[in-house]
């Protein structure tokens, strides 16, 4: 979460308590919701000025809590809503779902009760650790709590804390149906372990209708919004204990995780947390065995920071055979003289420097003081043998397009403003002494000590800038020879401390737009510029942040328009998603070798073709990111651009990175999916840069049989250099239990990880298969998984009943969202947008993917008065329930916030209340046409609704991926963004794909054909093999590397 100073509360800037309520050494009392600042003095609340009331201590950190409902000046209460009261949902509200019964015929919907939780924690299954302990002990801490941790909250006898939680070791009763309760049903953890409660059983179908009314209640169809809202509410007051709870929370919600030796789901998610012992048992499920890794994920306030451990010149202890790093699941024997590797079972001698005796139970006496033996995610400092080059602070090189399009469309000015904001924020009053230390008045610094920045501009030529602090103003040096690019000045002049040279940098970036306003070269030469930038960073490594606003058609590496409508929908379309220019491939490879990565900010003028497939290849291979603005409009998009540049600079970033994944005997890595460079199969993954938002998918297969008495272990080791110049290994350890068959494993499926692995492999296949084949393969994979469950694990149910796994209830909807996303959708779509989405899918986190496939929607016209403010009892921000992404849920006169993690729309019905518009946008704004169409943020007003929405937006901004949250108006019948709004309603028939109901009908019929042995599989041309999508992947054993 973030400091509440970022929140707006009715125009007041500073809260009464400046302390961050989440900065606590006790994870037991986390604050999961960001607080908000208080109302200003004199704001009327129930007729009493706020200034006359003294907040109680519970409210002191927020200043005040809105208790009553807000009454605008016109007397209209918000509780009444902003439009006339409506009765119960009409048949229109059911929409396409209303005809579900007639479409599905005799189809019923039921649940066999499978999907519960093991009645015991992991025990009697571990070779090298045992979680069964005497009362009052906890194995991750070995009976001794970690520093500043209250042990009782993690121990077995504290079950009251997680009573009723669906992951907390309770049996699932038959009444716990796969469908949540009706809207408004209270979530009572003590009585209903599944989130949202349980819906009544459906009547047995007979004849064409299911009920006397002839329709099925739409609420009985699996709902993604409710599957998020229930856990989100639960984890406000509960912790996720990584060894005691066997299913992670949904990826799209915030939660505080306690690392008990098994890494937090924020760093690693397994598709199956209970793995079948044989490949045949796994094949019966149709599920992939994969691991989604986000090694540099951000640690939420309230969680234990990642410990940094230094073992000096000897380096961290490692297995001599498989080179696995020391971790909590290695066991010490022979009085502490040997440790047995949990990956390959090899007994290793303990170095004298690391020796400690063991107690009678075989546990090291210093275990509690050893984070590497108690925590699943740690950082190891490494000695010189792990260095490729001398580690130094990260070098940032800003490469700025100053061509004609950049100047004319305001992209140059916006990009320069964004850089200034990223480096210095809003601090304009820094003194010279503060500038020397790199700290502002609050002691904050955007870049760590040791980091340096440099600036390069380009059009037909390349210009370098000397910003040495000893100069009075920055010096420009022009490199006209783009055929053989070079760096015309030394690194001391090009790379400078951004705080020592603040005045020069500020002056330079402020003057650049005017400096190039009269030159306006229309054809940029990008590849020679990147080659010159690479030369400047080749000795040290670093990161390039590059802007581009026109297709680079000048000099070496010039590109031409390849996209043609005639190529869409045919076999050769896949060539549009590939990089064919050898020069760009060569440069990308050299960058990775030098430890250089690229983040691209591409603004397409008027939606023009930019060949993202070729240009974006550089950022994809080096581990960077592409930010794509398909129709950049400066007044609307400048704020979003600035925020995304700031996020790029401020997020945790490593460079010169190598990644290796190891697994237990009996398993092997078969493929990786993400944005990186891998020279040969089995080799390490290489990244020029890697940051907190990047994730990688790893697929596993069997090379033997797993022992059901032991656990399966996975370890990801990321060797990288931090932005502050330290060479480290980020070690992430994950454990899963093993069972003889797959039935137990069906209870512990991580839906987000399964969807993420399928999406990554589908994106990888875009350059090999046609889009039609990929869509067919996604459909067949969905049917395979659900039919496999129906055949082998669902028990006895009527043949016409659709039975879904408890933990895959929403799986069908996520796959439908994947089929409708821009990468795979049928119909016409520019190749640039397809390629951009494809590469984004391969590297995005499970959180970002979940939002992309199913947006979150909040109705603003019916917000309860208390929503958007902290709860008086808990202090958590009260977030209203989200609604389903279907137009049948959209009400006349309504206003809705829709966020898919990439963009956020504010959709306004044409009959929206003038009172709502005035409360939201200010006086004088009573009609849709009076609103500014390029609005990107809400004004700060002293109205209840305005404060609510701004606080909710600020909260959403903390629960998303790398894309900034700014709003875009979508006024009904006025704005083009309304088409984007319609596309985000993924439950409806759009994007040339079925509605959710039609999709369920198709899946159900296919399952029935499979059960009857009459299904004809369409594998999309994938053939057989071990991949998620059915494509053949060459099996092989990972090569062992010295690091």
């Amino acid at each position: 979460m973030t400091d509440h100073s970022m929140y707006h509360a009715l125009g007041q800037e500073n809260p009464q308590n400046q302390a961050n309520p989440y900065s606590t050494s006790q994870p037991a009392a986390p604050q999961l919701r960001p607080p908000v600042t208080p109302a200003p003095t004199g704001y009327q609340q129930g007729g009493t000025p706020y200034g006359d009331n003294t907040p109680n201590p519970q409210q002191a950190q927020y200043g005040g809590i809105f208790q009553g409902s807000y009454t605008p000046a016109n007397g209209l209460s918000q509780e009444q809503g902003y439009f006339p009261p409506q009765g119960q949902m009409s048949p229109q509200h059911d929409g396409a779902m209303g005809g579900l019964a007639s479409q599905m015929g005799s189809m019923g919907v039921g649940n066999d009760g499978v999907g519960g939780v093991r009645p015991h924690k992991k025990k009697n299954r571990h070779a090298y650790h045992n979680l069964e302990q005497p009362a009052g002990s906890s194995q991750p801490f070995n009976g001794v709590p970690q520093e500043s941790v209250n042990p009782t909250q993690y121990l077995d006898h504290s079950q009251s804390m997680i009573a009723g939680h669906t992951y907390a070791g309770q049996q699932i009763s038959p009444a716990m149906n796969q469908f949540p309760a009706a809207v408004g049903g209270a979530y009572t953890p003590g009585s209903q372990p599944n989130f949202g409660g349980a819906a009544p059983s459906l009547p047995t179908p007979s004849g064409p209708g299911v009920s006397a009314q002839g329709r099925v209640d739409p609420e009985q169809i699996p709902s993604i919004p409710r599957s998020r809202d229930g856990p989100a509410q639960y984890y406000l007051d509960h912790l996720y204990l990584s060894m005691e709870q066997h299913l992670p929370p949904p990826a799209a919600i915030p939660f505080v995780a306690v690392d008990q030796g098994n890494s937090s789901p924020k760093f690693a998610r397994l598709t199956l947390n209970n793995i079948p012992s044989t490949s045949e048992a796994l094949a019966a499920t149709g599920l992939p065995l994969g691991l989604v890794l986000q090694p540099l994920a951000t640690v939420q306030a309230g969680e234990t920071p990642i410990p940094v451990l230094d073992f000096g010149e000897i380096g961290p202890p490692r297995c001599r055979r498989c080179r696995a790093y020391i971790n909590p699941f290695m066991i010490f024997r022979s009085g502490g003289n040997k440790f047995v590797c949990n990956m390959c079972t090899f007994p290793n001698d303990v170095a004298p420097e690391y020796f400690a005796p063991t107690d009678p139970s075989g546990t090291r006496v210093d275990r509690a003081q050893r984070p590497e033996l108690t925590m699943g995610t740690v950082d190891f400092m490494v000695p010189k043998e792990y260095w490729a080059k001398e580690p130094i602070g990260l070098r940032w090189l800003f490469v700025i397009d100053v061509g004609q399009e950049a100047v004319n469309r305001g992209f140059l000015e916006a990009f320069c403003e964004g850089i200034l904001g990223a480096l210095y924020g809003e601090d304009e009053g820094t003194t010279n002494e503060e500038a020397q230390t790199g700290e502002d008045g609050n002691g904050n610094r955007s870049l760590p000590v040791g980091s340096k920045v440099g600036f390069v501009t380009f059009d037909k030529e390349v210009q370098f800038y000397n910003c040495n602090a000893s100069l009075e103003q920055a010096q420009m040096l022009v490199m006209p020879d783009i055929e053989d690019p070079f760096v015309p000045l030394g690194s001391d002049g090009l790379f400078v401390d951004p705080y020592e040279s603040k005045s020069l940098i500020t002056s330079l970036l402020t003057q650049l737009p005017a400096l190039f306003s009269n030159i306006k070269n229309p054809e940029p030469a990008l590849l020679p510029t990147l080659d010159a930038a690479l030369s400047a960073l080749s000795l040290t490594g670093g990161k390039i942040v590059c802007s581009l606003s026109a297709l680079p058609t000048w000099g070496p590496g010039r590109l031409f328009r390849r996209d043609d409508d005639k190529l869409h929908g045919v076999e050769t379309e896949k060539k549009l998603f590939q990089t064919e220019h050898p020069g760009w491939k060569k440069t990308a490879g050299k960058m990775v070798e030098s430890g250089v990565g690229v983040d691209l900010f591409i603004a397409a003028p008027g939606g023009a073709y930019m060949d993202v497939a070729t240009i974006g290849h550089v950022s994809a291979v080096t581990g960077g990111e592409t930010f794509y603005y398909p129709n950049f409009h400066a007044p609307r998009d400048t704020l979003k651009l600035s925020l995304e540049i700031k996020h790029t600079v401020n997020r945790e970033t490593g460079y010169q990175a190598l990644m290796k994944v190891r697994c237990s005997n009996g398993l092997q890595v078969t493929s990786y999916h993400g944005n990186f460079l891998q020279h040969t199969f089995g080799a390490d993954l290489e990244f020029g840069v890697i940051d907190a938002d990047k994730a990688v998918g790893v697929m596993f297969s069997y090379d033997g049989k797993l022992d059901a008495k032991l656990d399966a272990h996975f370890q990801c080791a990321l060797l990288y250099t931090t932005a502050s110049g330290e060479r480290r290994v980020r070690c992430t350890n994950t454990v899963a239990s093993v069972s003889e068959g797959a039935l137990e494993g069906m209870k512990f499926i991580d839906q987000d990880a399964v969807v993420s692995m399928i999406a990554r492999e589908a994106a990888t296949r875009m350059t090999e298969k046609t889009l039609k084949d990929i869509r067919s393969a996604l459909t067949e994979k969905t049917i395979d998984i659900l039919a496999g469950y129906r055949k082998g694990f669902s028990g006895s149910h009527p043949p016409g009943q659709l039975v879904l796994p408890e933990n895959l209830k929403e799986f069908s909807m996520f796959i439908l969202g994947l089929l409708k996303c821009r990468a795979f959708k049928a119909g016409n779509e520019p190749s640039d947008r397809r390629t951009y989405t494809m590469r984004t899918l391969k590297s995005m986190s499970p959180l970002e993917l979940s939002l992309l496939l199913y947006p979150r929607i909040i109705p603003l016209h019916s917000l309860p008065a208390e929503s958007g403010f902290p709860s008086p009892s808990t202090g958590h921000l009260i977030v209203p329930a989200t609604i389903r992404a279907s137009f049948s849920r959209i009400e006349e006169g309504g206003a809705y916030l829709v966020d898919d993690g990439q963009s956020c729309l504010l959709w306004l019905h044409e009959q929206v209340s003038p009172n709502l518009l005035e409360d939201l946008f200010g006086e004088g704004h009573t009609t849709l046409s009076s609103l500014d169409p390029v609005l990107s943020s809400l004004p700060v007003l002293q109205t209840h609704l305005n404060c609510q929405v701004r606080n909710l937006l600020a909260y959403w901004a903390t629960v998303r991926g790398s894309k900034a949250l700014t709003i875009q108006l979508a006024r009904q019948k006025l704005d083009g963004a309304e088409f984007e709004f319609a596309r985000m309603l993924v439950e409806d028939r759009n994007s040339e794909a079925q509605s959710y109901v039609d999709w369920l009908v198709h899946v159900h019929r296919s399952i029935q054909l499979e059960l009857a042995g009459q299904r004809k599989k369409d594998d999309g041309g994938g053939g057989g093999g071990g991949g998620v999508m059915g494509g053949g992947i060459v099996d092989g054993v990972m090569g062992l590397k010295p690091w």
Side-chain angles (χ1 to χ4, degrees):
M1 291 303 162
T2 126
D3 190 336
H4 58 277
S5 62
M6 67 177 288
Y7 282 81
H8 306 283
L10 304 172
Q12 182 160 326
E13 295 181 357
N14 296 316
Q16 293 184 9
N17 184 359
Q18 292 290 342
N20 186 342
Y22 306 134
S23 297
T24 171
S25 59
Q26 282 286 357
Q31 300 283 346
L32 293 188
R33 300 290 193 194
V36 291
T37 49
T41 303
Y43 185 71
Q44 296 296 321
Q45 181 174 247
T48 302
Y50 169 76
D52 295 344
N53 297 329
T54 303
N56 62 39
Q58 176 75 34
Q59 303 167 349
Q61 59 179 321
Y62 306 110
I65 310 296
F66 282 95
Q67 303 289 348
S69 61
Y70 167 61
T71 304
N74 57 15
L76 179 63
S77 169
Q78 183 167 338
E79 289 185 345
Q80 295 175 321
Y82 289 98
F83 50 88
Q86 298 184 5
Q88 297 298 320
M89 291 298 178
S90 63
Q92 172 197 348
H93 185 272
D94 291 43
M97 297 180 185
L100 177 62
S102 59
Q103 294 183 64
M104 292 189 174
S106 61
M107 167 189 155
V109 189
N111 181 32
D112 62 334
V114 176
V117 179
R118 287 177 290 178
H120 53 79
K121 295 192 297 292
K122 296 187 179 80
K123 59 184 180 181
N124 302 329
R125 295 180 178 274
H126 302 261
Y128 309 123
H129 63 288
N130 176 20
L131 296 185
E132 182 96 44
Q133 20 254 332
S137 180
S138 180
Q139 182 65 19
F141 306 132
N142 194 35
V144 182
Q146 294 178 342
E147 184 180 358
S148 75
V149 173
N150 178 10
T152 59
Q153 59 190 332
Y154 305 121
L155 304 187
D156 220 4
H157 61 266
S158 262
Q159 290 301 320
S160 61
M161 185 180 72
I162 51 176
H165 180 24
T166 187
Y167 308 139
Q170 292 197 356
Q171 293 282 10
I172 299 296
S173 66
M176 291 161 60
N177 195 289
Q178 72 203 35
F179 299 120
V183 167
Y187 171 51
T188 53
S191 60
Q192 292 292 347
N194 67 323
F195 294 116
S201 301
L202 292 185
T204 304
S206 58
V210 172
S211 64
Q213 290 76 22
R215 65 181 53 166
V216 172
D217 182 359
E219 291 302 323
Q220 293 180 325
I221 298 174
S223 167
I224 290 179
R226 201 172 304 112
S227 73
R228 291 171 177 169
D229 292 342
Q233 192 66 31
Y234 178 84
Y235 281 105
L236 284 176
D237 306 306
H238 297 79
L239 303 172
Y240 175 80
L241 310 178
S242 67
M243 284 299 293
E244 297 187 27
Q245 294 166 237
H246 314 299
L247 267 181
I253 70 167
F255 61 94
V256 169
V258 178
D259 188 337
Q260 297 178 316
N262 189 29
S263 288
S264 163
K266 297 174 183 179
F267 297 98
R269 281 180 174 262
L270 273 170
T271 56
L272 293 167
N273 291 280
N274 182 289
I275 301 173
S277 60
T278 64
S279 58
E280 292 78 14
L282 178 66
T285 68
L287 291 165
L289 177 55
L291 180 65
V292 182
L293 293 163
Q294 193 176 347
L296 297 183
T298 303
V299 176
Q300 182 173 309
E303 296 178 336
T304 305
I306 305 301
V308 181
L309 311 175
D310 190 353
F311 289 88
E313 290 301 318
I314 63 171
R318 302 181 65 180
C319 174
R320 287 194 294 116
R321 177 192 286 173
C322 71
R323 306 299 293 156
Y325 289 83
I326 190 74
N327 63 73
F329 305 104
M330 289 184 174
I331 191 169
F332 289 84
R333 292 180 177 173
S334 303
N337 288 292
K338 289 186 178 293
F339 69 90
V340 182
C341 177
N342 60 318
M343 299 288 173
C344 66
T345 70
F346 183 76
N348 296 267
D349 293 330
V350 175
E353 300 88 349
Y354 193 63
F355 173 79
T358 57
D359 62 18
S361 67
T363 303
R364 282 176 62 115
V365 295
D366 65 345
R367 178 183 176 92
Q369 287 76 44
R370 292 282 186 182
E372 72 274 15
L373 301 180
T374 57
M375 298 186 67
T377 304
V378 296
D379 263 347
F380 295 114
M381 299 283 289
V382 292
K384 291 185 178 180
E385 62 190 86
Y386 292 78
W387 295 3
K389 55 186 71 174
E390 183 80 19
I392 61 173
L394 183 59
R395 300 292 191 257
W396 294 84
L397 187 57
F398 294 95
V399 179
I400 307 170
D401 179 7
V402 292
Q404 179 176 321
E405 286 290 349
V407 174
N408 290 347
R409 296 187 175 271
F411 186 58
L412 171 58
E413 183 177 0
F415 195 74
C416 291
E417 289 178 5
I419 297 174
L420 286 173
L423 294 179
Y424 309 114
E426 298 178 358
D427 173 43
E428 298 297 335
T430 304
T431 64
N432 292 334
E433 291 76 10
E434 290 168 342
Q436 292 295 325
T437 61
E439 295 184 354
D440 60 19
N442 298 320
N444 298 320
R445 182 183 173 112
S446 298
L447 297 179
V449 176
S451 295
K452 294 187 176 182
V453 298
F455 299 91
V456 174
T457 58
F458 71 99
D459 43 22
K460 285 186 177 181
E461 300 173 335
V462 184
Q463 301 89 25
F464 291 81
Y465 296 87
N466 185 344
C467 295
N468 193 292
S470 61
L471 300 175
E472 293 185 2
Q473 64 178 13
Q475 295 177 346
M476 177 196 293
L477 291 89
V478 179
M479 186 198 71
D481 185 7
I482 60 175
E483 296 292 334
D484 185 17
F486 62 95
V487 182
L489 75 161
S491 60
D492 291 341
L494 180 59
F495 293 104
V496 297
D497 186 290
Y499 303 96
E500 293 178 0
S501 302
K502 178 179 177 180
S503 59
L504 275 71
I505 293 173
T506 303
S507 175
L508 171 66
L509 294 176
T510 304
Q511 296 175 14
L512 277 180
L515 185 64
F516 288 93
S517 60
N518 297 322
I519 301 176
K520 295 185 179 180
N521 287 319
E523 298 180 286
L526 179 58
L527 185 59
T529 306
L530 292 178
D531 286 334
L534 173 59
S535 299
L537 292 168
S538 59
L539 296 179
T540 61
K543 185 161 186 177
I544 298 170
V545 179
C546 177
S547 68
L548 182 69
S549 59
L551 186 68
T553 56
W554 187 263
R558 64 177 65 88
L559 301 175
F560 306 94
R561 180 179 178 86
R562 294 192 294 152
D563 198 1
D564 190 334
D565 290 344
K566 295 179 181 178
L567 297 176
H568 294 180
V570 299
E571 178 74 23
T572 54
E573 183 179 12
K574 60 190 176 186
K575 291 185 178 181
L576 298 177
F577 315 136
Q578 301 172 359
T579 306
E580 296 184 340
H581 197 292
W584 289 85
K585 292 182 179 180
K586 182 178 179 181
T587 295
K590 287 182 177 180
M591 284 184 171
V592 176
E593 292 175 8
S594 301
V596 176
V598 183
D599 277 359
L600 285 170
F601 290 81
I602 301 177
Y609 177 69
M610 296 290 290
D611 201 353
V612 173
T614 300
I615 299 170
H617 176 76
V618 177
S619 63
V621 169
T622 61
E625 185 169 3
T626 297
F627 295 85
Y628 180 56
Y629 308 89
N631 190 14
F632 183 83
H633 184 55
R636 180 192 64 207
D637 298 325
T638 294
L639 176 61
K640 182 176 178 66
L641 174 65
S642 297
L643 292 174
E644 288 174 350
I645 295 173
K646 184 174 183 178
H647 179 74
T648 295
V649 172
N650 293 343
R651 64 187 171 187
E652 183 176 2
T653 302
Y655 68 107
Q656 296 179 22
L658 295 173
M659 179 186 283
K660 181 81 167 180
V661 177
R662 297 174 174 89
C663 53
S664 295
N665 286 342
L667 295 174
Q668 63 182 0
V669 175
T670 54
S671 62
Y672 294 93
H673 300 284
N675 291 335
F676 49 78
L677 179 64
Q678 187 179 25
H679 289 290
T680 59
F681 179 77
D684 298 337
L685 307 187
E686 300 180 34
F687 302 83
V689 294
I690 186 169
D691 58 63
D693 296 315
K694 298 300 177 293
V696 175
V698 189
M699 283 291 299
F700 301 94
S701 64
Y702 292 79
D703 62 0
K705 182 178 179 180
L706 297 177
D707 188 346
K709 297 179 182 179
L710 309 179
D711 277 344
H713 297 271
F714 305 86
Q715 185 180 83
C716 167
L718 177 73
L719 176 65
Y720 71 107
T721 303
T722 66
S724 58
E726 293 181 345
R727 194 71 169 158
R728 299 179 183 176
V729 170
R730 172 65 57 91
C731 203
T732 305
N733 299 281
T734 309
V735 63
S737 53
V738 179
S739 58
E740 289 290 350
L743 178 60
E744 188 80 2
M746 297 300 291
K747 303 175 184 177
F748 302 99
I749 302 170
D750 185 338
Q751 181 172 253
D752 288 297
V754 172
V755 172
S756 183
M757 290 305 305
I758 292 176
R760 289 171 200 279
E761 184 157 357
T764 303
R765 296 296 179 87
M766 275 186 64
T767 58
E768 306 167 7
K769 307 289 183 183
T770 65
L771 294 176
K772 182 179 179 182
D773 288 343
I774 292 175
R775 288 192 296 269
S776 297
L778 287 170
T779 302
E780 296 301 318
K781 191 63 183 177
T782 305
I783 297 167
D784 285 343
I785 291 173
L786 298 181
Y789 175 79
R790 186 70 172 90
K791 285 192 295 186
F793 312 103
S794 66
S796 57
H797 287 273
Q801 204 166 33
L802 175 63
V803 184
L804 302 174
E806 172 65 24
N807 296 311
L808 289 177
K809 295 194 304 289
E810 299 82 26
F811 175 69
S812 297
M813 184 62 244
F814 277 122
I815 296 298
L816 180 60
L818 190 60
L819 291 169
K820 292 184 175 184
C821 79
R822 295 189 187 277
F824 309 120
K825 67 183 286 290
N828 235 352
E829 188 72 22
S831 64
D832 277 350
R833 302 200 75 164
R834 287 196 190 274
T835 308
Y836 166 73
T837 307
M838 170 194 75
R839 291 192 175 131
T840 304
L841 284 172
K842 290 168 65 176
S843 66
M844 65 172 39
S845 66
L847 182 155
E848 196 171 0
L849 178 64
S850 180
L851 294 178
L852 177 67
L853 301 185
Y854 198 99
R856 48 192 175 188
I857 306 177
I858 289 180
L860 302 182
H861 54 277
S862 57
L863 275 181
E866 66 276 6
S867 292
F869 295 103
S871 166
S873 58
T874 66
H876 297 309
L877 191 74
I878 300 175
V879 180
T882 54
I883 65 171
R884 301 176 78 139
S886 171
F887 198 76
S888 64
R889 304 305 171 103
I890 303 302
E891 299 173 339
E892 288 189 7
Y896 295 86
L897 275 179
V898 190
D899 176 31
D900 68 351
Q902 309 297 305
S903 59
C904 182
L905 301 181
L906 174 53
W907 186 84
L908 301 169
H909 191 273
E910 61 179 339
Q911 297 176 11
V912 67
S913 166
N915 300 315
L916 182 147
L917 294 179
E918 277 203 328
D919 284 353
L920 201 54
F921 299 103
E923 292 184 8
H925 297 288
T926 56
T927 63
L928 294 184
S929 58
S930 66
L931 301 179
D932 183 0
V934 296
L935 187 76
S936 60
S937 63
L938 290 178
V940 178
L941 304 176
Q942 295 187 7
T943 65
H944 192 91
L945 179 65
N946 181 274
C947 183
Q948 284 180 298
V949 177
R950 285 186 290 110
N951 285 336
L952 290 172
L953 286 171
Y955 163 70
W956 270 4
T958 66
V959 190
R960 62 193 291 112
S962 61
K963 306 303 185 293
L965 189 145
T966 58
I967 63 170
Q968 181 175 354
L969 286 185
R971 300 167 295 175
Q972 190 177 31
K973 298 182 180 179
L974 287 178
D975 295 317
E978 190 179 6
F979 294 100
E980 182 70 6
F981 170 73
R983 191 189 65 80
M984 289 184 179
L985 299 178
V986 289
E987 289 197 15
D988 294 338
R989 181 179 180 86
N990 53 27
S991 299
E992 301 199 19
Q994 296 167 303
S995 68
Y996 187 17
V997 172
D998 294 337
W999 171 245
L1000 283 177
V1001 171
H1002 172 68
V1003 169
H1004 177 58
R1005 287 174 179 167
S1006 299
I1007 292 173
Q1008 288 181 309
L1009 291 174
E1010 177 70 20
L1011 295 177
Q1014 301 174 358
R1015 175 181 166 215
K1016 295 181 180 179
K1017 287 192 177 184
D1018 177 10
D1019 64 1
V1028 174
M1029 304 300 299
I1033 298 178
V1034 179
D1035 290 337
V1037 181
M1038 292 185 62
L1040 298 178
K1041 292 287 181 180
W1043 73 271

